[in-house]
Structure formats: C-alpha cells, structure tokens
Amino acid sequence: MSGIPDQRGRPVPRDVLGPVAPAPGEPAFDDDHPPRRDLVDDCVHCGFCLPTCPTYVLWGEEMDSPRGRIHLMEQGLDGEPLSPSMVAHVDRCLGCMACVTACPSGVRYDRLIEDTRQQVERRHRRPRRERALRAAVFALFPYPRRLRLLRGPLRAYQATGLRALVRRTGLLPRLAPTLAALDALAPPIGRAARVPRRVPARGTRRARVGMLTGCVQHAFFPQVNAATARVLAAEGCEVLILPERQGCCGALSVHNGRRAEARRFARALLDVFDSAGVDFFVVNAAGCGSALKDYGELLADDPAYADRAAAFAASVRDLSELLVELGPVAPRHPLPVTVAYHDACHLAHAQGVRAQPRKLLAAVPGLAVREIADPEICCGSAGVWNVLSPEPAGQLGERKAAHVLATGADLLVTANPGCLLQIASAARRLGRRLPVAHTVEVLDASIHGRGVDELLR
Ligand code: SF4
Ligand code: SF4
C-alpha cells in the first residue's frame, strides 16, 4: 500500500493517516482497496439474490438490494462521487451475506462490501450526530474490559426497578431510539463467571486449542465461554484461553469499514496466540469466526504478519466444526426438549457451517430440532446494525421471532450472542417469553447431565 512519505521519506500506509475527504466531485473511490472491478463484473444482474436480501424484503427498493449496491459500486468505479444517497444504501446493508449464498455466479459480495465500506469510512464525512453515535459505539463494543465495566451499573438499573420505570414512561424510544434499542437488547445481568487461563483435557488429550473469549460474549455471556471450555475439555481438548491477554478480534471493525482498527486488533491477537503452539483456534461467536478466517486477506499486504495471519486463519474453527471433526467421546445424557435452530448469518452464509450444529444437536438423546421458516433472512442483529438502525432491525427481529415462535419449540438455539439478544428481545415485544441458548450450552447440559430446566429459565 503506498502513501504520503513520513519525515524520513518512508511511505505511511493510508490507514494510519485517518479520514481524507475527497474534494467535491472527486470519484467515490481512491486507489487504496477500492471494490474490485473484476468482482463487480461477475454480477450478471440475474436477481436471484433479491428475495434473500433483508433490506430488499423490507423496502423492495432496487438500490437496497445486492444487485443495486453492486451497480452503485460500478458507478463509483466509473467516477461518480460518493454521494450521501450512495452512502445510505451502503450503510443499510446488514452484511449478512445471504446474497453470497444465493448467487449462482459466485459473486464475492463479501469482498466488495468490505472494500466499499472502508472507502466510505475514510472518505465520507457523516453528519455530526451520526459521527458521535458511531464514535461512541466503536469506543465501547470492541473493548471487553469497558463492556465489563458496564455490568455493575446495568445490573443496578435492572434490579432497582429503574428499568421498569423508564419503560413504563414509554419516552425512551421517542427521545433516544438508540438507547431504547440498547435497553431492549441488554440481557439480564447475572453473576460473572470467571474463565480460567487454561483448562486441561479430560482423559487422553486429542488436541490443544486456543479459544476466543470475544467482547459481548465475554462481558454479557461469560457462561457461554465457560460452557465452551468445559465441552472442549470433556471432548479431550486442552484449552488455552488467556482471557487477560485477549482483546477484540476486529470483527466489528472490519465489518464496518474500520480496516486500520481491525488490522490493529488482528495483529494483537496474533501476537498472543500464533506462537502458543495450538492445533486449532476455536470460536463460539459466528461474526468473530468469519473475521478470523479472513485474517490472511486482512493482513495480506503486511510483510511482518501476512504469513502468520494466513497460517493462523487456516487453524480457526467454529466450535461446532471442531467438535464434528474430532467426533464425540463424552457420553451424552438425555435432554427432553424441542429446540428451534437459527442459522446465524456469519456462520451459515459467511462460513458455510450449517450441518455441524444440527448434527451435534440431533445427537443429544431426547432432543428434537425444528427448522425455522425463511432461514436465510437475517434477524436484524448484524453486529451493531441493530444499534445504528434500530427501527428496521426491530422489524426484522419481530419477523424472525414470529417464525421461531411458530415452530412451537421450547427453546431457541443459535451460535451468536447478537442473534440471541435480538430474537429474545423481539419476542418480548410480541408479548412472548422465548428462552434462548447457545448451541454449546445445550451440549454442556447434556454432557454434564444438568437437565433441561436450567436452559429454559
Ligand atoms: S449482505 Fe445481506 S443486506 Fe447486504 S446486500 Fe447482501 S443480502 Fe442484502
Ligand atoms: S449478485 Fe449474483 S444473484 Fe445477485 S444479481 Fe448479481 S449475479 Fe445475480
């Protein structure tokens, strides 16, 4: 990557320089990773992707479909400026990658939107309010320690009745829709489960694995990380966690065009784990898994990290992939429960992992798995999309929750913390309580004979 020279004449990468707004009328994209023309040209405009695109489903607007967005990218490559309306259509994309699954021509929309977004973030100056909101979101969410500091105040807010009072007034959604969305999404804050640095394998060691603790997962779902470590250990894995040394993996940043930030996070995580001698690096959050598997591409032009990043990315597994790859050794106890399994977009569309979680769930004695209608359509969580765009996210959430409730299942199971929060909160708005659990919590309950009541609380 070329750039402006520093004081010693060395080129400074553009992603270190910060936003450089284009002059009025300048083409939308500069030469620092613009969306690739050859990938744009792969689109044959057939429209097969349209019915799977959540924004097209919501609004029926061509420019809010994958085909329309690719057309806008083409206009940008042809020299059109980065107009506010072009940015709005790019911003409205959830990055769910349902269009990648649906496309018969193999269009790499994932690459295209990632490159387009980083151009938008560097070259488009948003209105002040939007800038402030985004600054606050990205100063908080990718920082597990800052998120954990919120646990105390949030617990007090929930426990003292203040939350109930705020909700009774009905003012929050009208005065501050983003805060209202955060309030609706916040899970009940229980006791913080501590995750150890290392967990030994039970019985014969079959693999040594590193484990990502994540940001939202670490702060608000520590029980999912604890269950992940227990299940891996029960299946013969030594688990190296090092929670005090881990930070964000960069998923949120890279999926929102903050490439420089994502690269910083990726390098830091590599420094912790790529010399730790692990056979696999395991992830239990879909969005993080898809970003980690792309580290090779993210750091391809960094001579100090490119090879390490590619090797590390090849070792990354979603938890369900690894458990199926290893095969079960821990006996399962019966769990008489009917679950609806929700495909998290970044697991199903971005990583192609659909069969493994179903296989693991179906192998639990007494457990029945029901499928949800329109599984390819996103629930509206999409990283922080539900915080930045609360209204359409709420509509998608309610649509998904209604489909889940229609299955008649006792429990919703999925593999992403954002989806769990989003669908449970949408079900509450529909006047229903929907117990939710991560796939690994179900496996943990079965392996350790804990019974189903704990999952249905
Ligand atoms: S990633 Fe999702 S929201 Fe974006 S264009 Fe594709 S299907 Fe639509
Ligand atoms: S992205 Fe694929 S499915 Fe969608 S219009 Fe283009 S070629 Fe067709």
Side-chain angles (χ1 to χ4, degrees):
M1 189 193 317
S2 64
I4 297 166
D6 68 6
Q7 285 167 333
R8 292 193 198 161
R10 295 170 305 196
V12 177
R14 283 225 184 84
D15 63 9
V16 176
L17 293 172
V20 183
E26 215 182 273
F29 308 129
D30 61 21
D31 61 357
D32 181 1
H33 296 88
R36 274 170 45 191
R37 172 82 70 177
D38 58 322
L39 301 187
V40 165
D41 289 346
D42 284 341
C43 176
V44 297
H45 316 296
C46 64
F48 284 143
C49 54
L50 268 57
T52 69
C53 174
T55 53
Y56 187 77
V57 167
L58 280 181
W59 303 311
E61 288 287 336
E62 175 68 17
M63 288 307 146
D64 286 317
S65 77
R67 184 173 64 185
R69 293 185 177 110
I70 292 170
H71 177 67
L72 291 173
M73 294 169 198
E74 188 173 23
Q75 287 188 332
L77 289 170
D78 288 343
E80 286 289 316
L82 199 54
S83 65
S85 103
M86 196 190 274
V87 170
H89 295 300
V90 170
D91 280 353
R92 283 182 205 149
C93 171
L94 287 92
C96 68
M97 305 309 158
C99 49
V100 176
T101 300
C103 178
S105 304
V107 171
R108 288 287 314 270
Y109 182 86
D110 51 340
R111 280 257 63 76
L112 288 171
I113 192 70
E114 202 174 297
D115 286 338
T116 304
R117 285 207 151 126
Q118 63 85 23
Q119 292 273 345
V120 168
E121 288 313 301
R122 284 189 296 105
R123 291 166 62 76
H124 175 70
R125 191 166 172 79
R126 298 176 186 281
R128 187 193 300 256
R129 219 182 138 132
E130 234 179 274
R131 282 207 308 275
L133 173 60
R134 281 176 183 256
V137 163
F138 288 102
L140 177 64
F141 280 83
Y143 297 94
R145 282 174 200 87
R146 294 179 196 172
L147 282 174
R148 278 175 80 84
L149 288 178
L150 277 185
R151 287 180 55 91
L154 204 50
R155 199 171 178 183
Y157 172 65
Q158 292 175 351
T160 57
L162 187 59
R163 180 192 216 179
L165 185 70
V166 168
R167 285 185 174 179
R168 263 203 305 278
T169 66
L171 288 175
L172 203 54
R174 270 179 279 150
L175 296 178
T178 304
L179 276 183
L182 285 169
D183 174 51
L185 288 168
I189 307 294
R191 273 195 305 129
R194 282 247 162 258
V195 186
R197 301 188 82 238
R198 179 187 157 273
V199 180
R202 224 198 281 159
T204 308
R205 190 177 89 176
R206 302 160 79 200
R208 187 163 195 258
V209 305
M211 182 186 133
L212 185 79
T213 47
C215 299
V216 170
Q217 195 87 286
H218 186 53
F220 297 119
F221 295 97
Q223 76 280 8
V224 173
N225 283 337
T228 303
R230 280 194 299 269
V231 167
L232 283 167
E235 295 292 22
C237 298
E238 178 189 354
V239 193
L240 193 65
I241 307 173
L242 309 176
E244 77 290 354
R245 293 179 59 196
Q246 290 197 37
C248 178
C249 67
L252 211 53
S253 308
V254 77
H255 294 151
N256 286 278
R258 300 166 69 94
R259 199 161 173 273
E261 188 176 77
R263 285 158 62 93
R264 273 203 309 278
F265 285 136
R267 290 186 194 106
L269 193 68
L270 283 170
D271 287 343
V272 175
F273 276 104
D274 76 343
S275 58
V278 297
D279 306 308
F280 301 100
F281 190 73
V282 177
V283 191
N284 60 18
C288 306
S290 80
L292 285 157
K293 287 180 179 179
D294 278 347
Y295 268 14
E297 290 190 47
L298 182 66
L299 293 170
D301 57 3
D302 182 333
Y305 281 86
D307 291 345
R308 294 163 63 187
F312 180 81
S315 77
V316 173
R317 298 285 186 284
D318 179 69
L319 173 72
S320 64
E321 282 181 294
L322 181 66
L323 292 179
V324 168
E325 225 170 293
L326 290 175
V329 290
R332 268 60 171 167
H333 298 92
L335 276 183
V337 66
T338 302
V339 309
Y341 178 73
H342 164 67
D343 281 305
C345 294
H346 273 94
L347 195 57
H349 299 307
Q351 300 181 58
V353 176
R354 295 180 182 82
Q356 296 90 332
R358 290 177 168 83
K359 187 170 178 181
L360 293 168
L361 290 170
V364 173
L367 183 147
V369 183
R370 299 229 171 115
E371 294 296 332
I372 302 166
D374 290 347
E376 68 284 357
I377 304 278
C378 181
C379 66
S381 169
V384 289
W385 198 84
N386 53 352
V387 178
L388 298 173
S389 312
E391 207 179 303
Q395 291 168 19
L396 289 170
E398 283 167 29
R399 184 189 155 100
K400 182 64 75 183
H403 285 324
V404 173
L405 293 166
T407 65
D410 310 307
L411 179 70
L412 170 69
V413 176
T414 189
N416 201 47
C419 306
L420 290 174
L421 295 174
Q422 168 80 354
I423 303 173
S425 131
R428 278 196 298 277
R429 285 198 304 280
L430 297 177
R432 300 280 295 275
R433 195 183 83 84
L434 180 62
V436 295
H438 190 287
T439 315
V440 77
E441 293 180 281
V442 177
L443 299 178
D444 185 46
S446 171
I447 289 172
H448 297 100
R450 263 203 273 284
V452 82
D453 291 349
E454 207 172 286
L455 294 171
L456 297 178
R457 276 197 304 224

